[in-house]
Each structure stands twice: as structure tokens, then as C-alpha cells.
Amino acid sequence: MTLLKREQIPTVGLDFMNHDHQAAAEQINQLDQLIRQTRQGDKESQQQIEPLLKEIYAHSEHHFAHEEAEMVRVNFPAYECHKGEHERVLEELNQVLLQWQNNQDIEQLDDFLNTTLCHWLINHISTMDSVTAMFVGRYDHAVA
Ligand SMILES: [Fe+2]
Ligand SMILES: [Fe+2]
């Protein structure tokens, strides 16, 4: 079973964003699978969680930085708001990694993934990312 299906991820008007969002959803699905296997007592899956959490952080950092660079390029008016949300989530992902390193609490990690991260991703894409992609698309069309 897959936690996030491809079609659940909203499509926005910029390909690089859609590509990053699909990659983020894939990482979420990998984490979900590792959590389920860890719950069944698979030690190898448990050991793969920490590197995956680090990959999720690194990919998010890269994904957010690319969006922020585009917002700066087109002088997007809600830049600070969108960037602030990225920073908040990076901090949250960092806290989740630290918590996992400290306590290996699978319930806590599962709860974060299912009740927070999945919903955040879909909600963020359908609001801030959609508006940003639309603005960038119009800007590029106008200057072309
Ligand atoms: Fe995004
Ligand atoms: Fe974003």
C-alpha cells in the first residue's frame, strides 16, 4: 500500500516543482514503508530510517531553495511568507530527526508522517506553491 499516490499530489504550472513534489512524495512513501517494516520487527528497516530522514531534509532544502530563487527572480510579493513556511518546515524536519536519533520512537515518527507531513505537503502545494507557480508563469509569459 502506498501512503501518497501520484494523483494525490496537486499539479502546479511549473515542471521543476512538479518533479520535486513527486520526489518528495516518493520519499514519504519510502519512510512509511520503513516504519511499517520496523513495526513488524525488521531491524534493517529501522536502521535505514535515519539516513532517509537526512535525505528528506536535504531534498526539502534543495526543493525550497529552488522555489525561493524563482520567487526572487520574479519579485514575487508573498516571498517572505512562502519562504517563512519553508523555514518552519525545515526546522520541524530537523527536530524530527533529532527526536528519532534520541529515542527511536516509531509511534511518534509514524504520527508525524501521517498526521503532519503528508497533509502539509498537499496543502502547501495546493496553496503557496500553486500561487507562486502561477505568478512565475505569468511573469515569464509577459517578458517573453
Ligand atoms: Fe514545493
Ligand atoms: Fe513551497
Side-chain angles (χ1 to χ4, degrees), residues 93-117:
L93 288 171
N94 190 41
Q95 287 303 322
V96 167
L97 171 64
L98 292 174
Q99 263 172 5
W100 176 252
Q101 287 169 330
N102 281 334
N103 61 19
Q104 305 257 310
D105 185 338
I106 201 75
E107 296 286 338
Q108 198 176 31
L109 187 62
D110 199 1
D111 189 55
F112 168 73
L113 181 68
N114 280 280
T115 63
T116 306
L117 191 58

Side-chain angles (χ1 to χ4, degrees), residues 34 37-38 41-49:
L34 289 181
Q37 286 164 190
T38 300
D42 183 358
K43 291 281 169 212
E44 219 170 286
S45 295
Q46 188 177 9
Q47 281 166 6
Q48 288 170 25
I49 289 177

Side-chain angles (χ1 to χ4, degrees), residues 20-142:
D20 279 342
H21 297 155
Q22 288 298 339
E26 254 168 56
Q27 288 182 322
I28 283 176
N29 287 329
Q30 280 172 22
L31 183 58
D32 183 53
Q33 203 178 350
L34 289 181
I35 289 173
R36 277 189 286 122
Q37 286 164 190
T38 300
R39 279 180 176 287
Q40 288 162 5
D42 183 358
K43 291 281 169 212
E44 219 170 286
S45 295
Q46 188 177 9
Q47 281 166 6
Q48 288 170 25
I49 289 177
E50 185 177 326
L52 181 57
L53 286 174
K54 288 178 178 168
E55 279 172 37
I56 290 174
Y57 185 93
H59 181 265
S60 302
E61 214 176 19
H62 179 264
H63 154 203
F64 297 163
H66 195 171
E67 289 180 8
E68 287 159 19
E70 281 295 283
M71 288 191 269
V72 168
R73 181 176 68 84
V74 303
N75 208 9
F76 182 59
Y79 168 71
E80 290 296 337
C81 174
H82 192 165
K83 183 183 161 68
E85 184 57 13
H86 287 166
E87 283 169 354
R88 189 192 65 74
V89 169
L90 284 177
E91 181 52 35
E92 196 173 30
L93 288 171
N94 190 41
Q95 287 303 322
V96 167
L97 171 64
L98 292 174
Q99 263 172 5
W100 176 252
Q101 287 169 330
N102 281 334
N103 61 19
Q104 305 257 310
D105 185 338
I106 201 75
E107 296 286 338
Q108 198 176 31
L109 187 62
D110 199 1
D111 189 55
F112 168 73
L113 181 68
N114 280 280
T115 63
T116 306
L117 191 58
C118 282
H119 299 286
W120 179 82
L121 183 67
I122 291 176
N123 187 48
H124 183 80
I125 295 169
S126 61
T127 56
M128 290 188 187
D129 285 354
S130 292
V131 174
T132 300
M134 213 181 292
F135 190 92
V136 172
R138 282 187 191 150
Y139 177 94
D140 286 343
H141 187 73

